[in-house]
Structures are given as structure tokens and as C-alpha cells.
Amino acid sequence: MRIEDPKLAAGFLELGVQLQHGASLCDLTSLGIGGTTDLLPDLLNLLDAQGIPHKFLGGGSNLLVEDDELPWVVLQLAAPRPDIVLEGNFAHVDAAADLGRTVTYCAKNDLGGMEGLIGVPGTVGGALRMNAGAYGMQIGTYVREVKLYRSAARKIETLRGDQISFEYRHTSFAPDDMMLSVKLELPSKPYPEILKGIRICNEKRRASQPLGQKSAGCIFKNPPGASAGRMIDELGLKSLSVGDARVNDRHANFFVNAGRASAKDMLALISDVRERVRKSFGVILEFEVVVWNA
Ligand SMILES: Cc1cc2nc3c(=O)[nH]c(=O)nc-3n(C[C@H](O)[C@H](O)[C@H](O)COP(=O)(O)OP(=O)(O)OC[C@H]3O[C@@H](n4cnc5c(N)ncnc54)[C@H](O)[C@@H]3O)c2cc1C
């Protein structure tokens, strides 16, 4: 969506807010797919008042964005410095902070628990929204407070961890809540011990995932008691392609953009694989990747 109204553009300038015209979401997501739109920093009140639809972008590592012109603007938080402040076993982290840097910063200060999240790209805000996790842990376990902007009520609120439900790649946040910051409580652990755990997780990731390729991580959630990747693999679908969208030959739940895949290609591949799994296993796979449809 383009903001054409010169009054509104001037209003942004007056507020000291930069409006980036025609930003390409293809460059802002790890799949390297997606159309163009205007990109704005934190301007929620103004947008709500003007009735301009918007979405929140973290690190773009769990997104499949529709091609072509998009019917909403995109908001991306800028991280303040410092974006992580430690206080005993508590880490106060800005939502725009890089997740991997947060894990290592806490580790170097003898705060562990998040070793499994090393190698998960994106921001802390994105990780909160999706309750990111790996290797038996999830970020929600350590959340004590989340400060968020509630678009529906147009106000900033702080929720206690026990007021939020964190499930497997699902949370109880409203779709239009914007995470601003989080207070994590992390167990004390000596840095060398945390580092050992980090290295093990890094090794597992390197051995099983196509890390150098454009992907959004796992496309599907694992159904209860089963592995989506294993089902896809058992059907012999590794390397199945639509255009340049391809089921990865190392990890069958990673679909990669092997060149110039479009969202249409990727969605066609996803739908084909999903249908084959449904026919063979009677299981309807749920999306882990977030699809931004126009
Ligand atoms: C190679 C690779 C490996 C991965 N491995 C894992 C893994 O092991 N475990 C796992 O859980 N995930 C994994 N992922 C997926 C992804 O990295 C995580 O889901 C990550 O937490 C998404 O964060 P993000 O900032 O990139 O979010 P984005 O992709 O930018 O956004 C994802 C969703 O969060 C919302 N969002 C982002 N920031 C905010 C905010 N501040 N407020 C409100 N909503 C927000 C967006 O609107 C969108 O709905 C992997 C991805 C890749 C590419």
C-alpha cells in the first residue's frame, strides 16, 4: 500500500518519522519472497486514527509474503541501545533485539536456559509472538512480563507471564498486539556450561538444516506425536519443486527459495505437499510459517 496523501506524508515529517516508499519485503524476509509496500516505524496511533491497515515485521524469518503490491503498511521497531539490561536473574529485553545476540549476551553473564534458541533467526518480538523454541525448550517458559501496545484499546499495557498462554508455536496475544519489550527470568549457569549447550544445538542445526539457503524455517507445525518433516520425507517429496520453491533435501519441513521463487510458487508447493500428506496419513498439517496474504 502506498501513502499518497501529501498531508499525511507531511504529518509524518512533522513528527520526525521517516516514510520509506516502496520497500521490498522480498529484501526484508529470510525467504526472499514478497511484494512492495510503504514501510513505517512506530506510528500506530496515527495509523489507527487514519484507518490505515498495518502489520508488524520483526526479523522476517517466519514469514511468507504475498507477491505484488500489498494492501497494508508495515511497522518495524528500531532497537534502542542498550536493548538488553540485566538485573540479577532478570533480563529486560527490547522486542526489536536480535534473538541470537540476546541468548549470547545473557550466556556471557552466566544466564542460561535459552541455549536451544541459538540459531533461531529474528527478533525477540517475533520469538514472543510465535513462542519460538527448539530442542525441548521454548521462550515462553522464561517470560515474566511483556510490555505491548494493544491496538484495539490503543494503549500500552504490561501483562504478567501467567496472563499469557504460551503453547507450541502459539500464544494468546491478540493478532494486533505489538510486543514492545519483555522481562525474562533466566536460571544462573556458568558461561562454559551454557556454551557447551549452545555448541551442541549449533551442531544439531548445522547437521539437519539448510542454513545457507533462503527459508522461513519449518513450514508446518509438527502434529501431536509426529514429525511433519518425517511424513514429507516418507512420501519421497524431498526436492519436489514448483518453480524455484523447493522442498529441501536435507530437512523436508524446510521449503527453500532456490532462486527467484514467488509467493505463488511457494504456496502451490505448500498446498501440494499438504494435500499429499492428508491423503496418505489423514493428517491436515497446520502452518508454522505466517502467511501474509494480500
Ligand atoms: C533457518 C531458520 C531456522 C529456524 N528455526 C526455528 C526454530 O528452531 N524454532 C522456531 O520456533 N522458529 C524457527 N525459525 C522461525 C523463526 O526464526 C522464528 O519463528 C522467529 O522467532 C521469528 O521472529 P521474527 O522476528 O523473524 O518474526 P517475523 O518473521 O518478522 O514475524 C513473525 C510473526 O511475528 C509477528 N511479529 C514480529 N515482531 C513482532 C512484534 N514486535 N510485535 C508483534 N508481532 C510481531 C509478525 O507480525 C508475524 O506475525 C527458523 C527460521 C529460519 C529461517
Side-chain angles (χ1 to χ4, degrees):
M1 181 181 190
R2 303 300 157 114
I3 293 178
E4 311 281 6
D5 182 352
K7 263 200 212 153
L8 191 53
F12 289 143
L13 261 186
E14 254 177 49
L15 291 167
V17 165
Q18 278 189 345
L19 168 60
Q20 196 185 325
H21 285 294
S24 164
L25 288 207
C26 160
D27 297 331
L28 293 172
T29 57
S30 60
L31 260 177
I33 292 177
T36 55
T37 183
D38 283 355
L39 183 68
L40 286 160
D42 192 3
L43 260 185
L44 290 165
N45 279 325
L46 194 60
L47 294 179
D48 284 342
Q50 298 284 336
I52 295 175
H54 52 265
K55 288 187 181 286
F56 307 120
L57 178 68
S61 66
N62 199 35
L63 283 176
L64 171 54
V65 185
E66 193 74 79
D67 305 307
D68 306 322
E69 186 67 23
L70 304 165
W72 18 260
V73 295
V74 168
L75 299 163
Q76 193 175 33
L77 290 171
R81 285 286 176 258
D83 51 3
I84 311 168
V85 175
L86 302 181
E87 187 194 4
N89 283 69
F90 295 110
H92 301 266
V93 192
D94 195 83
D98 179 78
L99 181 64
R101 211 178 67 73
T102 303
V103 174
T104 48
Y105 183 85
C106 292
K108 283 178 185 165
N109 287 278
D110 300 319
L111 294 176
M114 296 199 291
E115 293 85 332
L117 290 176
I118 202 75
V120 177
T123 61
V124 167
L128 288 172
R129 157 70 65 196
M130 306 302 300
N131 189 20
Y135 308 120
M137 64 75 58
Q138 54 184 27
I139 192 166
T141 308
Y142 302 104
V143 173
R144 296 297 168 261
E145 271 176 19
V146 176
K147 190 169 156 195
L148 71 177
Y149 176 83
R150 310 216 88 166
S151 296
R154 291 197 192 175
K155 63 175 184 188
I156 292 177
E157 269 182 39
T158 300
L159 297 181
R160 289 191 318 273
D162 63 9
Q163 293 175 299
I164 308 160
S165 133
F166 287 101
E167 291 157 41
Y168 169 58
R169 302 303 168 269
H170 180 79
T171 57
S172 55
F173 296 113
D176 55 0
D177 283 344
M178 182 177 209
M179 315 304 141
L180 300 175
S181 61
V182 64
K183 179 178 175 184
L184 302 167
E185 185 178 9
L186 301 167
S188 299
K189 253 195 211 179
Y191 178 50
E193 204 183 301
I194 304 173
L195 196 59
K196 217 164 130 190
I198 284 179
R199 286 194 175 130
I200 291 171
C201 293
N202 266 336
E203 206 39 60
K204 283 187 190 165
R205 243 174 232 285
R206 263 196 295 272
S208 62
Q209 298 179 2
L211 296 185
Q213 296 183 53
K214 290 181 179 175
S215 82
C218 288
I219 290 289
F220 300 112
K221 293 184 188 181
N222 288 323
S227 154
R230 202 162 303 133
M231 287 172 167
I232 299 167
D233 191 10
E234 276 174 26
L235 294 177
L237 302 181
K238 278 183 170 170
S239 295
L240 184 73
S241 306
V242 175
D244 279 337
R246 185 167 305 156
V247 178
N248 182 246
D249 52 11
R250 182 181 277 205
H251 192 312
N253 199 10
F254 273 58
F255 292 13
V256 299
N257 174 5
R260 299 172 63 86
S262 63
K264 210 169 155 202
D265 296 334
M266 193 56 82
L267 286 166
L269 182 64
I270 289 172
S271 148
D272 185 7
V273 168
R274 207 166 174 233
E275 184 53 17
R276 293 185 198 219
V277 168
R278 187 193 66 76
K279 274 194 185 142
S280 304
F281 296 99
V283 171
I284 298 175
L285 292 175
E286 265 186 57
F287 283 19
E288 180 162 330
V289 68
V290 176
V291 180
W292 280 0
N293 286 317

